[in-house]
Amino acid sequence: MSENEKNVEVEATQETEAEATELVTEVDTSAEDKKDKTEVKMDAKTKLQLNVYDFVSIIMSAFIIIAFIFIFAFRLVGVKGESMENTLHSNDWLITVQKSEYVYGDIVVTTKYNYFNEPLIKRVIATGGQTVDIDYSTGTVFVDGKALDEPYTKEDFMIEKLDYMQFPYTVPEGYLFCMGDNRNGSTDSRSTLIGAIDEKHIMGKAVVRLLPFGNFDIYDYEQEQ
């Protein structure tokens, strides 16, 4: 074999080795690119899953907190009937809060079993130990001998009904004497069907009207006095 032929063969072998090296390099680079892309996709998928998990966790936590608040602190109560007009009207929605003590003027919701077998919304007129008397001729309510100023009532007169208890009446300790603001359209503590209400059966005090929206204050008469 001539010298020229040897040189040509060496150069061809070198070129083949170079091409093989380039092919291996390209294959390695392609594999690394695919690996990088796969890792990027996995990272994006993992990040999305974490974001969804965080979002669901926040929603669930908020729901639990709201449920806890409404079960143990606040409750929504709907008004049914006309017994609290003109202060409250049927289909009003109220927020109530539990209290350790209730006083005159509080609008309360009672779950005491009664003739109507449903919760009642009434206003506290007297508490345990106080004596209630009513002059039906003038529509005046007395508590411990003092006439009440009641700007919240719908009418200035009261009609005495057959099922009403005898007055004066002393409220037992731990009980509330409650009446509706619509005195002639309310069955309340005056009636032997209801009587004084054990405080253990008081669901809470109505503090604000949620609906209809914009008419929140149910104690606005206090500001006018």
PDB file of all heavy atoms in Angstrom, residues 41-42 69 79 82 90 101 108 112 127 137 178 192 218:
ATOM      1  N   LYS A  41     -41.844  19.914  33.374  1.00  0.00           N
ATOM      2  CA  LYS A  41     -43.261  19.556  33.374  1.00  0.00           C
ATOM      3  C   LYS A  41     -43.686  19.025  34.734  1.00  0.00           C
ATOM      4  O   LYS A  41     -44.763  19.343  35.224  1.00  0.00           O
ATOM      5  CB  LYS A  41     -43.525  18.511  32.290  1.00  0.00           C
ATOM      6  CG  LYS A  41     -43.448  19.060  30.876  1.00  0.00           C
ATOM      7  CD  LYS A  41     -43.757  17.967  29.854  1.00  0.00           C
ATOM      8  CE  LYS A  41     -43.697  18.519  28.427  1.00  0.00           C
ATOM      9  NZ  LYS A  41     -43.980  17.465  27.424  1.00  0.00           N
ATOM     10  N   MET A  42     -42.818  18.189  35.351  1.00  0.00           N
ATOM     11  CA  MET A  42     -43.138  17.648  36.669  1.00  0.00           C
ATOM     12  C   MET A  42     -43.212  18.755  37.701  1.00  0.00           C
ATOM     13  O   MET A  42     -44.097  18.766  38.554  1.00  0.00           O
ATOM     14  CB  MET A  42     -42.089  16.607  37.068  1.00  0.00           C
ATOM     15  CG  MET A  42     -42.154  15.317  36.264  1.00  0.00           C
ATOM     16  SD  MET A  42     -43.696  14.412  36.542  1.00  0.00           S
ATOM     17  CE  MET A  42     -43.476  13.964  38.267  1.00  0.00           C
ATOM     18  N   ILE A  69     -68.487  29.980  63.990  1.00  0.00           N
ATOM     19  CA  ILE A  69     -68.997  31.264  64.469  1.00  0.00           C
ATOM     20  C   ILE A  69     -70.517  31.253  64.538  1.00  0.00           C
ATOM     21  O   ILE A  69     -71.130  31.681  65.522  1.00  0.00           O
ATOM     22  CB  ILE A  69     -68.509  32.413  63.560  1.00  0.00           C
ATOM     23  CG1 ILE A  69     -66.999  32.629  63.750  1.00  0.00           C
ATOM     24  CG2 ILE A  69     -69.265  33.711  63.857  1.00  0.00           C
ATOM     25  CD1 ILE A  69     -66.403  33.630  62.788  1.00  0.00           C
ATOM     26  N   VAL A  79     -87.853  36.011  60.326  1.00  0.00           N
ATOM     27  CA  VAL A  79     -89.078  36.447  61.009  1.00  0.00           C
ATOM     28  C   VAL A  79     -90.289  35.923  60.247  1.00  0.00           C
ATOM     29  O   VAL A  79     -90.358  36.020  59.026  1.00  0.00           O
ATOM     30  CB  VAL A  79     -89.136  37.986  61.093  1.00  0.00           C
ATOM     31  CG1 VAL A  79     -90.434  38.441  61.767  1.00  0.00           C
ATOM     32  CG2 VAL A  79     -87.928  38.523  61.849  1.00  0.00           C
ATOM     33  N   GLU A  82     -96.656  38.673  62.107  1.00  0.00           N
ATOM     34  CA  GLU A  82     -96.806  40.118  62.282  1.00  0.00           C
ATOM     35  C   GLU A  82     -96.692  40.570  63.733  1.00  0.00           C
ATOM     36  O   GLU A  82     -96.929  41.737  64.040  1.00  0.00           O
ATOM     37  CB  GLU A  82     -98.180  40.552  61.735  1.00  0.00           C
ATOM     38  CG  GLU A  82     -98.401  40.167  60.272  1.00  0.00           C
ATOM     39  CD  GLU A  82     -99.812  40.454  59.810  1.00  0.00           C
ATOM     40  OE1 GLU A  82    -100.663  40.761  60.684  1.00  0.00           O
ATOM     41  OE2 GLU A  82    -100.069  40.383  58.595  1.00  0.00           O
ATOM     42  N   SER A  90     -92.523  40.209  58.592  1.00  0.00           N
ATOM     43  CA  SER A  90     -92.363  38.852  58.081  1.00  0.00           C
ATOM     44  C   SER A  90     -91.356  38.831  56.934  1.00  0.00           C
ATOM     45  O   SER A  90     -91.349  39.726  56.083  1.00  0.00           O
ATOM     46  CB  SER A  90     -93.715  38.320  57.602  1.00  0.00           C
ATOM     47  OG  SER A  90     -93.660  36.927  57.372  1.00  0.00           O
ATOM     48  N   GLU A 101     -76.920  37.304  79.930  1.00  0.00           N
ATOM     49  CA  GLU A 101     -77.982  38.009  80.654  1.00  0.00           C
ATOM     50  C   GLU A 101     -78.790  38.845  79.667  1.00  0.00           C
ATOM     51  O   GLU A 101     -78.229  39.464  78.765  1.00  0.00           O
ATOM     52  CB  GLU A 101     -77.377  38.908  81.741  1.00  0.00           C
ATOM     53  CG  GLU A 101     -78.401  39.631  82.582  1.00  0.00           C
ATOM     54  CD  GLU A 101     -77.754  40.508  83.649  1.00  0.00           C
ATOM     55  OE1 GLU A 101     -76.506  40.614  83.646  1.00  0.00           O
ATOM     56  OE2 GLU A 101     -78.485  41.084  84.464  1.00  0.00           O
ATOM     57  N   VAL A 108     -85.597  39.025  71.611  1.00  0.00           N
ATOM     58  CA  VAL A 108     -85.004  37.702  71.773  1.00  0.00           C
ATOM     59  C   VAL A 108     -85.774  36.659  70.968  1.00  0.00           C
ATOM     60  O   VAL A 108     -86.939  36.839  70.618  1.00  0.00           O
ATOM     61  CB  VAL A 108     -84.971  37.283  73.260  1.00  0.00           C
ATOM     62  CG1 VAL A 108     -84.087  38.227  74.057  1.00  0.00           C
ATOM     63  CG2 VAL A 108     -86.386  37.233  73.850  1.00  0.00           C
ATOM     64  N   LYS A 112     -88.591  27.767  73.303  1.00  0.00           N
ATOM     65  CA  LYS A 112     -89.442  27.075  74.258  1.00  0.00           C
ATOM     66  C   LYS A 112     -90.627  26.416  73.558  1.00  0.00           C
ATOM     67  O   LYS A 112     -91.243  27.011  72.674  1.00  0.00           O
ATOM     68  CB  LYS A 112     -89.955  28.066  75.311  1.00  0.00           C
ATOM     69  CG  LYS A 112     -90.976  27.465  76.265  1.00  0.00           C
ATOM     70  CD  LYS A 112     -91.600  28.526  77.160  1.00  0.00           C
ATOM     71  CE  LYS A 112     -92.691  27.908  78.038  1.00  0.00           C
ATOM     72  NZ  LYS A 112     -93.369  28.906  78.883  1.00  0.00           N
ATOM     73  N   THR A 127     -87.757  40.975  83.781  1.00  0.00           N
ATOM     74  CA  THR A 127     -86.890  39.836  84.091  1.00  0.00           C
ATOM     75  C   THR A 127     -87.272  39.250  85.446  1.00  0.00           C
ATOM     76  O   THR A 127     -88.172  39.753  86.138  1.00  0.00           O
ATOM     77  CB  THR A 127     -85.414  40.261  84.079  1.00  0.00           C
ATOM     78  OG1 THR A 127     -85.222  41.316  85.048  1.00  0.00           O
ATOM     79  CG2 THR A 127     -85.012  40.786  82.713  1.00  0.00           C
ATOM     80  N   SER A 137    -107.163  49.674  79.807  1.00  0.00           N
ATOM     81  CA  SER A 137    -107.963  50.832  79.419  1.00  0.00           C
ATOM     82  C   SER A 137    -107.117  51.932  78.787  1.00  0.00           C
ATOM     83  O   SER A 137    -107.587  52.695  77.938  1.00  0.00           O
ATOM     84  CB  SER A 137    -108.712  51.390  80.641  1.00  0.00           C
ATOM     85  OG  SER A 137    -107.786  51.873  81.616  1.00  0.00           O
ATOM     86  N   CYS A 178     -92.030  38.377  78.096  1.00  0.00           N
ATOM     87  CA  CYS A 178     -91.805  38.945  76.772  1.00  0.00           C
ATOM     88  C   CYS A 178     -93.132  39.237  76.074  1.00  0.00           C
ATOM     89  O   CYS A 178     -94.101  38.497  76.227  1.00  0.00           O
ATOM     90  CB  CYS A 178     -90.984  37.989  75.914  1.00  0.00           C
ATOM     91  SG  CYS A 178     -89.376  37.548  76.616  1.00  0.00           S
ATOM     92  N   THR A 192    -101.736  32.455  78.651  1.00  0.00           N
ATOM     93  CA  THR A 192    -101.440  31.207  79.360  1.00  0.00           C
ATOM     94  C   THR A 192    -100.911  30.137  78.403  1.00  0.00           C
ATOM     95  O   THR A 192    -100.373  29.117  78.842  1.00  0.00           O
ATOM     96  CB  THR A 192    -102.710  30.687  80.063  1.00  0.00           C
ATOM     97  OG1 THR A 192    -103.769  30.555  79.100  1.00  0.00           O
ATOM     98  CG2 THR A 192    -103.150  31.658  81.162  1.00  0.00           C
ATOM     99  N   ILE A 218     -82.437  47.741  64.414  1.00  0.00           N
ATOM    100  CA  ILE A 218     -83.759  47.401  64.935  1.00  0.00           C
ATOM    101  C   ILE A 218     -84.003  48.033  66.305  1.00  0.00           C
ATOM    102  O   ILE A 218     -85.057  47.821  66.913  1.00  0.00           O
ATOM    103  CB  ILE A 218     -83.937  45.875  65.021  1.00  0.00           C
ATOM    104  CG1 ILE A 218     -82.861  45.250  65.907  1.00  0.00           C
ATOM    105  CG2 ILE A 218     -83.907  45.255  63.642  1.00  0.00           C
ATOM    106  CD1 ILE A 218     -83.033  43.742  66.112  1.00  0.00           C
TER     107      ILE A 218
END
